[in-house]
Amino acid sequence: MRTAQIDRKTRETDITLSIDLDGKGNVSVDTGIGFFDHMLTALAVHCGIDLTVKCQGDLYVDAHHTVEDTGICLGKAFAQALGDKSGIARYGSAYVPMDEALAFCSLDISGRAFLVFNAQFSEDRIGQFDTCLTEEFFRAFAFNAGITLHIREEYGKNDHHICEAIFKAAAHALKQAIAVNGGAVLSTKGVL
């Protein structure tokens, strides 16, 4: 079974996170940041995974630790659930529109962590979520999952729509990449 549970407690956050990569999109997310919960829910549903997140963070400081540490835990969970990465498609790419906004994501579950993030927001916040934390979340996720991740905002005006299109594009790219195609590790090296 491609499942994982991560428990991580620091002076800044206390997180319990579990995933099932072969789930049905059952989601329960509580980080204390409404818009971030909405984005994580969209990510899980559109990726087709089960996701449970419970995070208590130092939100009296700001949202940074909660968002980044959740990305760390989600990345570690993906890495654990994928194991040696044998039998997966490995690559995924997707364009996702959200009203006037369009986002693109392309990724490689390669074991080589990298992030290229090209998106700009016009507002500092969406609800209680700092828009700059979108990049921080995906960096933490990519580096802990061992994923080469490219994200690009093609265009858009509404920050909610831009951010949601980004999370959904990442979800659809992940869904392609984690799909089971059977066989060995998809690499000329034989390992990832």
Side-chain angles (χ1 to χ4, degrees):
M1 289 184 60
R2 301 189 309 161
T3 62
Q5 179 168 327
I6 304 295
D7 296 299
R8 184 174 189 268
K9 186 172 184 173
T10 72
R11 291 183 199 161
E12 299 165 341
T13 58
D14 186 355
I15 300 174
T16 299
L17 183 148
S18 64
I19 61 170
D20 181 346
L21 299 184
D22 301 307
K24 304 295 183 200
N26 297 317
V27 183
S28 174
V29 177
D30 181 9
T31 66
I33 307 165
F35 184 76
F36 186 46
D37 291 354
H38 178 45
M39 292 301 95
L40 291 173
T41 299
L43 180 75
V45 169
H46 284 265
C47 188
I49 65 171
D50 291 348
L51 173 66
T52 302
V53 180
K54 179 64 178 167
C55 175
Q56 292 184 322
D58 57 356
L59 295 178
Y60 63 89
V61 174
D62 68 9
H64 190 285
H65 300 139
T66 295
V67 173
E68 183 177 38
D69 289 6
T70 300
I72 289 169
C73 291
L74 186 62
K76 287 181 183 295
F78 262 83
Q80 183 178 321
L82 288 169
D84 69 358
K85 303 171 201 70
S86 61
I88 63 168
R90 180 178 163 180
Y91 297 96
S93 295
Y95 282 96
V96 169
M98 179 77 183
D99 295 347
E100 87 300 339
L102 181 67
F104 172 74
C105 177
S106 187
L107 61 86
D108 175 11
I109 302 175
S110 61
R112 295 183 308 276
F114 202 85
L115 175 67
V116 176
F117 186 89
N118 188 359
Q120 295 188 3
F121 299 99
S122 58
E123 300 294 328
D124 292 336
R125 302 184 105 190
I126 305 168
Q128 297 302 308
F129 179 79
D130 300 305
T131 52
C132 66
L133 296 180
T134 308
E135 183 173 1
E136 296 303 321
F137 169 78
F138 282 108
R139 179 177 293 110
F141 172 69
F143 275 74
N144 285 276
I147 293 176
T148 299
L149 179 60
H150 292 250
I151 292 172
R152 184 174 68 228
E153 169 203 352
E154 296 294 321
Y155 46 78
K157 293 181 181 176
N158 181 299
D159 286 345
H160 184 128
H161 297 162
I162 294 167
C163 193
E164 189 162 345
I166 287 169
F167 271 84
K168 288 178 178 176
H172 283 274
L174 278 166
K175 185 174 186 174
Q176 291 173 24
I178 67 173
V180 176
N181 64 4
V185 172
L186 185 58
S187 172
T188 56
K189 298 179 185 86
V191 297
L192 289 172

